Amino acid sequence: EDQVTQSPEALRLQEGESSSLNCSYTVSGLRGLFWYRQDPGKGPEFLFTLYSAGEEKEKERLKATLTKKESFLHITAPKPEDSATYLCAVSGMVLGGSEKLVFGKGTKLTVNP
Amino acid sequence: DVKVTQSSRYLVKRTGEKVFLECVQDMDHENMFWYRQDPGLGLRLIYFSYDVKMKEKGDIPEGYSVSREKKERFSLILESASTNQTSMYLCASSTGGTNEKLFFGSGTQLSVL
């Protein structure tokens, strides 16, 4: 069964304290790995798509990387406005040849000033 | 700017009521999705649609139905609301297959009393 596990569940950082969020996955025939940001009371907002191992994407203080088993979302010198829940989702092939998108439960990031 | 609009931000209904959740997208997207999001369970797919008048069951379709009469509008129907359907409901749309990014609405927090 396809699985996406995010760790840690929650992370508290001081402003400027860099860290990484992890998304490990098991899926047949990876089609894409997605990172989303979700603010309280709002819908998730797309950040990145990664398609193959070794790929990296950057946006401001965020950098997403992908291996064959996991993805990391690196946050460099975070600011309080980076506080949010970060969701990972994986698109892969399931039995019968159809595709399926599976979400992880998210990492809640809090950045204190 | 792309937009997915959900008709209600908060909704309170009584057990047994028929509930309609409406979603409209202005991006001419083929695909539309309904998810529910619960603490500790993450995002779970209820139904999705790849075309007008077409619908497919997701992971948790029981107790729900959908309607897509026009390309831009996707409705989620709770035929007889129950307390275990209290949740945050999120509508999303995308252009292509499951390896394309999703655009989410802001969500409807439904409480069934």
Side-chain angles (χ1 to χ4, degrees):
Chain A
E1 182 181 328
D2 296 342
Q3 279 200 322
V4 179
T5 304
Q6 291 187 246
S7 61
E9 290 184 16
L11 181 63
R12 284 187 175 273
L13 299 174
Q14 288 299 123
E15 184 172 2
E17 179 187 1
S18 301
S19 188
S20 297
L21 312 182
N22 177 263
C23 172
S24 60
Y25 63 91
T26 56
V27 66
S28 301
L30 177 71
R31 300 298 294 270
L33 185 141
F34 304 83
W35 283 98
Y36 290 85
R37 170 192 170 125
Q38 186 174 23
D39 293 304
K42 294 188 176 181
E45 181 181 346
F46 171 80
L47 292 173
F48 304 109
T49 307
L50 301 167
Y51 293 105
S52 57
E55 190 175 358
E56 298 182 353
K57 294 270 180 78
E58 283 189 70
K59 181 180 179 180
E60 297 180 356
R61 295 176 292 281
L62 300 177
K63 179 180 178 180
T65 62
L66 180 65
T67 73
K68 288 186 178 179
K69 293 184 179 180
E70 58 191 349
S71 175
F72 291 94
L73 185 64
H74 307 279
I75 303 176
T76 302
K79 297 181 178 181
E81 52 262 42
D82 294 321
S83 298
T85 296
Y86 291 85
L87 300 174
C88 172
V90 172
S91 171
M93 302 301 290
V94 296
L95 289 176
S98 62
E99 291 183 50
K100 185 175 180 180
L101 186 65
V102 180
F103 278 88
K105 293 181 172 57
T107 293
K108 183 177 180 180
L109 174 66
T110 304
V111 182
N112 296 315
Chain B
D1 210 8
V2 296
K3 203 162 186 179
V4 178
T5 304
Q6 295 185 229
S7 55
S8 303
R9 186 68 187 89
Y10 298 97
L11 213 51
V12 180
K13 296 292 182 181
R14 297 236 174 247
T15 302
E17 279 193 77
K18 190 169 186 176
V19 181
F20 292 86
L21 302 183
E22 305 287 343
C23 175
V24 177
Q25 51 97 0
D26 65 359
M27 299 165 281
D28 201 35
H29 283 171
E30 288 80 18
N31 308 322
M32 297 189 74
F33 307 81
W34 275 107
Y35 288 88
R36 64 177 283 178
Q37 186 174 34
D38 301 286
L41 295 178
L43 279 161
R44 293 180 292 167
L45 181 63
I46 305 171
Y47 266 97
F48 60 100
S49 169
Y50 286 151
D51 201 352
V52 175
K53 296 190 184 295
M54 176 270 180
K55 59 187 177 185
E56 294 267 355
K57 292 180 180 179
D59 297 320
I60 50 164
E62 296 78 20
Y64 303 94
S65 62
V66 290
S67 172
R68 193 169 181 197
E69 295 296 318
K70 293 185 178 181
K71 189 176 185 180
E72 66 270 20
R73 186 179 298 269
F74 193 34
S75 303
L76 180 69
I77 304 156
L78 286 68
E79 294 289 342
S80 178
S82 62
T83 55
N84 62 13
Q85 292 178 310
T86 292
S87 184
M88 169 69 88
Y89 289 87
L90 289 161
C91 176
S93 70
S94 72
T95 54
T98 52
N99 60 339
E100 296 296 327
K101 65 182 178 182
L102 297 175
F103 294 86
F104 283 89
S106 295
T108 295
Q109 180 61 53
L110 172 67
S111 297
V112 182
L113 306 177

